[in-house]
């Protein structure tokens, strides 16, 4: 029996978010340049998008490039942006074939113009796809997102569009870049580190956390499916008792 066969299709997570960590360490282990690790990381992205589509998960968010990543060596950043353009152009036909829509979250204005245009074209070309929404978090950090939301809320209060008493969790959700996306059911981090790294801090308040020592280029279909099996074996209480959860089923 395969790992895929162990998954209960009636209890699938609606949204999986992944911190893709370990490209550089993978390359070092192989005696390769860091850029080669990122190239293998792109291959892993393709595998996981296809696996998520196959099992029927409707939303997948990938922490592709954080605001902190801008502090990496200039040559590495340039290589990453070039890789992104190549991958987007190359993968768009297969994304359409597999009914995958691409969305982005983050401060896209910081991206090079050619990278941004390639992404915009891909989003336009895949906008009609409905089986899986793959969200690329680019030039993203949760603190940036929440700060941006607070500034926009204050601006709208001053403009008379909303009142201070209108501010509730649901309103804040509407000001986040993920406003049309359900909160993640699972947050996966590869690479052995056990931290959140400024990713979707508001949205993962009740997400199940799944950490694996696998480096991102080694993360494959069965790795994703195993994380779903693990998720399905957990009891999600959302602050309630086990007895309350059982009575609601």
């Amino acid at each position: 029996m395969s790992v895929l066969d162990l998954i209960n299709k009636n209890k699938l997570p609606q949204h999986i978010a992944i911190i893709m960590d370990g490209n550089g360490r993978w390359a070092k282990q192989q005696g390769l340049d860091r850029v080669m690790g990122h190239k293998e990381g792109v291959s892993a992205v393709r595998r996981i998008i296809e696996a998520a589509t196959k099992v029927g998960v409707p939303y997948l968010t990938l922490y592709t490039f954080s605001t902190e990543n801008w502090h990496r060596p200039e040559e590495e950043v340039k290589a990453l942006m070039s890789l992104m353009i190549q991958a987007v152009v190359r993968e768009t036909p297969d994304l359409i074939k597999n009914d995958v829509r691409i969305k982005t979250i983050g401060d896209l204005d910081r991206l090079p113009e050619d990278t941004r245009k390639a992404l915009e074209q891909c989003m336009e070309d895949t906008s009609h796809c409905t089986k899986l929404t793959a969200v690329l978090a680019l030039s993203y950090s949760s603190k940036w997102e929440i700060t941006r939301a607070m500034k926009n809320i204050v601006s709208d209060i001053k403009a008379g569009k909303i009142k201070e008493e209108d501010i509730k969790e649901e309103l804040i959700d509407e000001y986040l870049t993920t406003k049309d996306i359900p909160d993640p059911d699972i947050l996966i981090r590869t690479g052995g580190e056990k931290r959140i790294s400024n990713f979707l801090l508001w949205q993962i308040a009740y997400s199940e956390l799944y950490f694996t020592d696998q480096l991102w280029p080694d993360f494959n279909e069965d790795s994703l499916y195993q994380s779903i099996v693990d998720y399905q074996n957990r009891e999600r209480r959302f602050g309630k008792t086990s007895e309350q959860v059982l009575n609601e089923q």
Side-chain angles (χ1 to χ4, degrees):
M1 180 180 291
S2 68
V3 183
L4 180 60
D5 293 329
L6 298 175
I7 294 175
N8 182 345
K9 296 296 182 64
N10 296 318
K11 293 176 60 180
L12 285 173
Q14 294 302 292
H15 183 182
I16 296 176
I18 306 180
I19 299 173
M20 306 179 292
D21 193 18
N23 290 344
R25 280 174 287 156
W26 182 92
K28 186 175 182 180
Q29 288 178 5
Q30 308 298 319
L32 301 171
D33 185 81
R34 286 179 62 87
V35 174
M36 293 304 298
H38 295 309
K39 286 184 177 180
E40 286 299 315
V42 171
S43 296
V45 168
R46 183 189 309 115
R47 287 198 303 269
I48 297 312
I49 287 178
E50 290 176 354
T53 304
K54 182 176 180 179
V55 76
V57 172
Y59 287 90
L60 176 70
T61 296
L62 302 172
Y63 204 3
T64 309
F65 190 87
S66 72
T67 53
E68 290 81 7
N69 288 153
W70 289 112
H71 300 301
R72 290 192 174 189
E74 184 179 352
E75 288 306 310
E76 182 175 350
V77 172
K78 286 182 178 178
L80 282 167
M81 293 299 139
S82 177
L83 268 176
M84 202 175 305
I85 294 171
Q86 294 172 30
V88 165
V89 172
R90 183 180 65 244
E91 299 299 330
T92 295
D94 280 342
L95 290 169
I96 295 171
K97 179 181 175 181
N98 294 323
D99 204 15
V100 176
R101 175 177 62 151
I102 294 295
K103 287 177 65 73
T104 58
I105 57 174
D107 187 5
L108 301 186
D109 290 338
R110 293 188 66 180
L111 297 177
E113 184 178 2
D114 53 351
T115 305
R116 190 171 63 251
K117 285 185 175 180
L119 285 163
E120 289 170 351
Q121 187 63 55
C122 178
M123 286 190 286
E124 181 180 338
D125 291 345
T126 63
S127 61
H128 64 284
C129 299
T130 59
K131 191 168 186 179
L132 170 71
T133 297
V135 183
L136 306 181
L138 288 160
S139 188
Y140 172 90
S141 79
S142 195
K143 288 186 176 182
W144 164 83
E145 178 184 36
I146 292 171
T147 300
R148 172 182 175 274
M150 296 305 102
K151 287 180 178 179
N152 288 337
I153 287 172
V154 170
S155 177
D156 283 352
I157 289 174
K158 289 180 177 179
K161 295 179 181 179
I162 58 173
K163 299 177 181 178
E164 185 176 343
E165 52 267 31
D166 294 333
I167 300 177
K168 298 179 176 61
E169 289 181 19
E170 294 77 13
L171 179 78
I172 294 173
D173 284 338
E174 289 298 310
Y175 281 82
L176 298 176
T177 60
T178 55
K179 66 178 182 176
D180 298 319
I181 302 167
D183 290 342
D185 297 299
I186 315 174
L187 172 66
I188 298 170
R189 181 171 187 141
T190 64
E193 304 289 355
K194 294 179 173 62
R195 56 177 178 266
I196 306 304
S197 295
N198 206 358
F199 185 47
L200 300 176
L201 298 178
W202 176 274
Q203 296 88 339
I204 64 167
Y206 278 102
S207 300
E208 297 296 322
L209 305 182
Y210 183 89
F211 299 104
T212 173
D213 290 335
Q214 274 187 301
L215 302 176
W216 176 246
D218 294 327
F219 197 78
N220 58 29
E221 295 88 343
D222 282 349
S223 307
L224 180 71
Y225 298 152
Q226 185 57 56
S227 74
I228 295 174
V229 171
D230 182 273
Y231 161 82
Q232 292 182 339
N233 287 327
R234 300 187 189 186
E235 182 183 67
R236 306 189 76 202
R237 296 192 296 273
F238 298 98
K240 299 177 182 179
T241 67
S242 296
E243 289 75 15
Q244 285 176 304
V245 172
L246 185 62
N247 290 333
E248 290 174 356
Q249 292 178 351

